[in-house]
Amino acid sequence: MRKSTSLKFGLNVRKPAANPAPQGSSQARKSVFSGFPADDLDTSEQPPQQKPQPYSGGSLAQQSAKLATELESANPSVYAYDDVYDTISNARIRAKQAQKTDDQRPRYMEKLLETAKQRQMQSEVVKERLLEKEREREGSMYADKETFVTASYKEHKEQRQKLVEEEEAREVAEQKTGRRAKLDTAATGFYRELLNQIDRDD
């Protein structure tokens, strides 16, 4: 046969202890936290709690006005909330506008303007060459006439001459570095070669 176990299914009720401690006895259970130093203090010697002082002297509005004048005399900018907020918000707005202007600047416009200026100078140089060739063909037809050259035209011609020299120096540098081969395959190389052929033919 099987031995019966003390555990049963369902509600397990404990049997009462043989010598239960009376509830009013001095032998009460100790607290789990009884070992800490805060519990070692004698609670019977604590000072009595202070009662709040009754309200005395003047109205609340008078006291707050007095406190406000004291604070304002100590620091005049105590109540300058709006001014401080305006300066902070203005600084933020200026920072955003500076960032916005940097972001909205055209990226390639400077290079486009520079190349447009170079092309204009190149076209002026080509026109100048054509005019010189035309004058050579006319020959002695206008040899006895006076020629007038202004100072601004001389200055403009000198600038074009400098640009032509710079372009030639750049082409020599490009040929040395091998970059010239890449440019010749592009449209600019094609047109440059076309202009060179026209100059050779005339």
Side-chain angles (χ1 to χ4, degrees), residues 31-149:
S31 172
V32 177
F33 303 106
S34 63
F36 292 106
D39 291 340
D40 292 342
L41 295 175
D42 189 14
T43 58
S44 63
E45 296 181 12
Q46 287 182 352
Q49 292 183 351
Q50 294 180 354
K51 293 182 179 178
Q53 295 287 332
Y55 179 72
S56 64
S59 68
L60 186 60
Q62 289 174 348
Q63 285 183 350
S64 64
K66 182 180 177 185
L67 181 63
T69 55
E70 289 175 4
L71 288 174
E72 202 167 340
S73 65
N75 186 1
S77 64
V78 168
Y79 296 112
Y81 303 119
D82 293 333
D83 296 336
V84 173
Y85 180 76
D86 288 343
T87 56
I88 292 170
S89 63
N90 286 341
R92 287 180 188 166
I93 289 170
R94 275 188 248 120
K96 284 182 181 179
Q97 287 176 346
Q99 185 180 13
K100 193 181 271 188
T101 56
D102 290 344
D103 292 344
Q104 291 181 351
R105 191 182 70 222
R107 293 182 183 176
Y108 307 109
M109 197 62 175
E110 294 173 2
K111 290 183 180 180
L112 289 175
L113 291 174
E114 184 180 326
T115 54
K117 187 177 179 181
Q118 288 177 354
R119 288 178 184 170
Q120 183 180 6
M121 288 294 184
Q122 288 175 353
S123 66
E124 288 177 3
V125 168
V126 170
K127 287 179 185 178
E128 188 69 31
R129 286 181 188 171
L130 291 174
L131 286 174
E132 286 178 12
K133 289 182 182 181
E134 189 176 318
R135 287 183 196 136
E136 288 175 5
R137 276 188 248 143
E138 292 173 352
S140 62
M141 185 186 276
Y142 298 107
D144 59 341
K145 305 286 183 187
E146 290 184 55
T147 57
F148 297 101
V149 180

Side-chain angles (χ1 to χ4, degrees), residues 189-202:
F190 171 76
Y191 287 118
R192 186 173 291 136
E193 188 63 33
L194 183 65
L195 289 173
N196 290 340
Q197 281 182 353
I198 291 171
D199 286 340
R200 280 185 249 136
D201 292 343
D202 293 334

Side-chain angles (χ1 to χ4, degrees), residues 141-194:
M141 185 186 276
Y142 298 107
D144 59 341
K145 305 286 183 187
E146 290 184 55
T147 57
F148 297 101
V149 180
T150 61
S152 62
Y153 179 73
K154 284 182 183 179
E155 184 180 320
H156 191 65
K157 195 170 183 178
E158 288 174 4
Q159 286 179 351
R160 276 189 277 169
Q161 185 63 28
K162 286 179 185 177
L163 286 174
V164 168
E165 290 172 2
E166 289 175 3
E167 184 71 26
E168 289 174 358
R170 193 177 64 186
E171 285 180 7
V172 169
E174 286 174 356
Q175 285 177 351
K176 288 180 183 177
T177 59
R179 190 168 176 250
R180 179 72 181 156
K182 292 178 183 177
L183 284 177
D184 284 340
T185 59
T188 55
F190 171 76
Y191 287 118
R192 186 173 291 136
E193 188 63 33
L194 183 65

